[in-house]
């Protein structure tokens, strides 16, 4: 016959177990009980965010800007068209806000794509 594991104590008996001496009562004064010392954790900060900007120039076709916004920033055609018009009218537009690595990667992708297609395109990232 297989051996069974030993029986556990009833739950009520576990609850009535005596408390350790350091938990018997509150200390006389705050800071007297060394067992209650806690470690303070440093508060983590959010990483700084960076804006990705598209700048206007006289050489970049509007259709190219729309294509870049759709391809590299995942915008719909309507959103990309609206941002392209903002770039055209105001001289620049914020395309998105990202962490440093992502913002830098997006700008590099846009610039590499523009270079590969022999079209000038100005994209920058700037700390928010």
């Amino acid at each position: 016959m297989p051996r069974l594991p030993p029986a556990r104590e009833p739950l009520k008996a576990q609850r009535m177990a005596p408390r350790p001496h350091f938990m018997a009562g509150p200390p006389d004064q705050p800071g007297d009980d060394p067992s209650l010392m806690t470690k303070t954790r440093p508060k983590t900060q959010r990483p700084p965010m960076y804006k990705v900007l598209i700048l206007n120039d006289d050489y970049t076709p509007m259709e190219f800007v729309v294509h870049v916004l759709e391809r590299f920033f995942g915008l719909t055609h309507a959103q990309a068209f609206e941002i392209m018009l903002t770039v055209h009218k105001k001289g620049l537009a914020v395309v998105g806000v990202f962490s440093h690595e992502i913002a830098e990667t997006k700008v590099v992708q846009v610039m590499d794509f523009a270079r590969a297609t022999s079209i000038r395109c100005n994209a920058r990232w700037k700390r928010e």
Side-chain angles (χ1 to χ4, degrees):
M1 177 171 239
R3 296 187 130 215
L4 298 174
R8 299 180 87 194
E9 286 185 27
L11 191 57
K12 189 173 182 182
Q14 290 176 354
R15 282 193 199 137
M16 300 175 105
R19 297 175 70 186
H21 73 283
F22 61 86
M23 295 177 75
D28 294 336
Q29 290 184 355
D32 283 352
D33 194 356
S35 65
L36 297 178
M37 291 185 149
T38 59
K39 292 182 182 178
T40 57
R41 292 184 180 173
K43 202 167 193 179
T44 56
Q45 295 179 349
R46 290 187 162 271
M49 301 303 277
Y50 292 79
K51 299 179 208 176
V52 175
L53 307 167
I54 298 285
L55 305 167
N56 189 29
D57 59 24
D58 295 333
Y59 307 103
T60 309
M62 292 179 177
E63 297 82 21
F64 180 79
V65 174
V66 170
H67 179 71
V68 162
L69 293 172
E70 290 172 353
R71 180 171 177 173
F72 296 107
F73 295 95
L75 301 177
T76 65
H77 185 74
Q79 292 170 327
F81 192 80
E82 184 138 349
I83 290 175
M84 178 273 301
L85 286 178
T86 304
V87 171
H88 182 67
K89 291 176 184 176
K90 295 186 177 180
L92 66 93
V94 176
V95 180
V97 180
F98 307 97
S99 67
H100 180 265
E101 293 81 12
I102 295 173
E104 183 180 16
T105 302
K106 298 253 184 213
V107 170
V108 168
Q109 287 174 336
V110 169
M111 299 303 285
D112 287 347
F113 182 69
R115 224 174 275 119
T117 56
S118 301
I119 296 176
R120 258 174 83 171
C121 183
N122 288 320
R124 304 278 185 268
W125 75 91
K126 178 181 176 184
R127 190 171 181 162
E128 192 171 42

